[in-house]
Amino acid sequence: MATKRRMTLPQQAPWTRAQPSGDTRTAVTVGGLMPTAKGPSALLRSTGTLQQVHLRQGDMDGACGPYAVIMGLLALGLVDRDEVTGTHRLDGRKRYAKLWRCFSDAKDPLLRRGTDLDELREALEQSFPSLLQVVPAKSRGAGLFKWAQLLIEENVPAIVGFDWQGGGGHAALVVGYECDHEGKTDSLLLLDPGAAPPRVTVYNATIRNVGRRGTWPYEYMADGESHLVSLDSAIALRCRMTPPA
């Protein structure tokens, strides 16, 4: 059975960014996603205007999956942030309203039970079929880690689901990867709805391969805290449209 993911804490070429002086690590992130004073931003395809991408998850909900989905849509320029964050009534004819209906549950309005990535994939396929191809990962662990890296090289963000060592699960948007001084990829760069928004980079969390054996070979880090995790599932968000100019 797929893990329900909730907050349970214990097309341009990709661009390479050199780390601060004295650190030879290199980060590669999805093209079109840029750091700004207000946080990572991307162009809305319909208007060409720049809009913020990060969304902060509430303390009471288990909606990390839907948050990650919507951040992915913002990063790809497929939804308007004003429509996402506004309090006005949604237009039921539009794609975002159809997506939101997939997430809505009168018995669990805060999605405290969490969501699994199969549910997220189905919601996207129902609401954005002509604009988005949603591709599930075929492996877990190291295979998933490598797959996510290859997606970034193709300018394709992904939503990754991972399990905490202490129980429960979480989901975040993969927007890049990082290499050590030898050029070996050892970290995935995340935009996490459960962490504070970044101000200098386009990511606010990492999942690093720390070389451990066993069930928990990866270390999640955000907001100065770290937790051991395992990589369980992922879906790629392939946009069918050409990137904005």
Side-chain angles (χ1 to χ4, degrees):
M1 173 181 276
T3 302
K4 298 288 186 177
R5 312 210 167 275
R6 50 162 295 169
M7 182 69 172
T8 53
L9 283 173
Q11 303 253 21
Q12 298 142 292
W15 56 274
T16 302
R17 179 180 61 83
Q19 298 298 311
S21 178
D23 186 348
T24 57
R25 298 178 64 81
T26 302
V28 178
T29 58
V30 172
L33 194 60
M34 59 198 78
T36 71
K38 294 183 178 180
S41 300
L43 293 177
L44 176 61
R45 291 171 185 264
S46 60
T47 64
T49 56
L50 198 63
Q51 56 181 9
Q52 292 172 255
V53 172
H54 183 263
L55 296 168
R56 187 68 189 264
Q57 183 182 355
D59 291 333
M60 293 175 59
D61 68 70
C64 54
Y67 271 85
V69 163
I70 297 169
M71 289 194 301
L73 295 173
L74 287 167
L76 292 170
L78 297 180
V79 295
D80 188 329
R81 187 180 176 92
D82 289 340
E83 184 177 26
V84 169
T85 60
T87 57
H88 54 279
R89 185 181 181 87
L90 295 176
D91 185 341
R93 298 168 297 178
K94 294 186 176 181
R95 296 182 182 90
Y96 179 71
K98 295 177 182 178
L99 176 67
W100 190 249
R101 282 200 298 270
C102 294
F103 293 148
S104 299
D105 186 341
K107 296 181 180 179
D108 186 17
L110 295 179
L111 297 176
R112 294 178 64 87
R113 66 178 179 86
T115 54
D116 63 50
L117 267 63
D118 285 338
E119 292 173 315
L120 302 181
R121 176 179 55 80
E122 291 172 4
L124 284 167
E125 289 175 344
Q126 292 177 30
S127 52
F128 287 81
S130 63
L131 300 182
L132 204 62
Q133 179 187 16
V134 186
V135 184
K138 296 181 180 180
S139 58
R140 299 183 178 186
L144 190 158
F145 190 97
K146 180 63 176 179
W147 182 73
Q149 175 192 348
L150 295 176
L151 288 173
I152 295 303
E153 292 174 357
E154 297 178 31
N155 263 324
V156 177
I159 298 167
V160 62
F162 50 95
D163 296 328
W164 307 111
Q165 184 183 34
H170 192 43
L173 183 69
V174 182
V175 296
Y177 64 85
E178 193 170 54
C179 303
D180 62 18
H181 67 283
E182 295 179 345
K184 180 180 178 181
T185 301
D186 63 6
S187 299
L188 297 179
L189 308 178
L190 311 179
L191 197 53
D192 188 343
R199 298 300 183 191
V200 179
T201 65
V202 297
Y203 57 92
N204 60 354
T206 62
I207 290 180
R208 186 174 183 180
N209 185 350
V210 291
R212 288 173 54 95
R213 294 185 178 181
T215 307
W216 314 102
Y218 301 98
E219 182 181 45
Y220 165 93
M221 297 189 67
D223 293 340
E225 297 184 1
S226 65
H227 306 278
L228 294 178
V229 299
S230 63
L231 299 180
D232 176 71
S233 55
I235 52 175
L237 306 182
R238 290 186 179 274
C239 185
R240 301 182 189 273
M241 301 174 65
T242 57

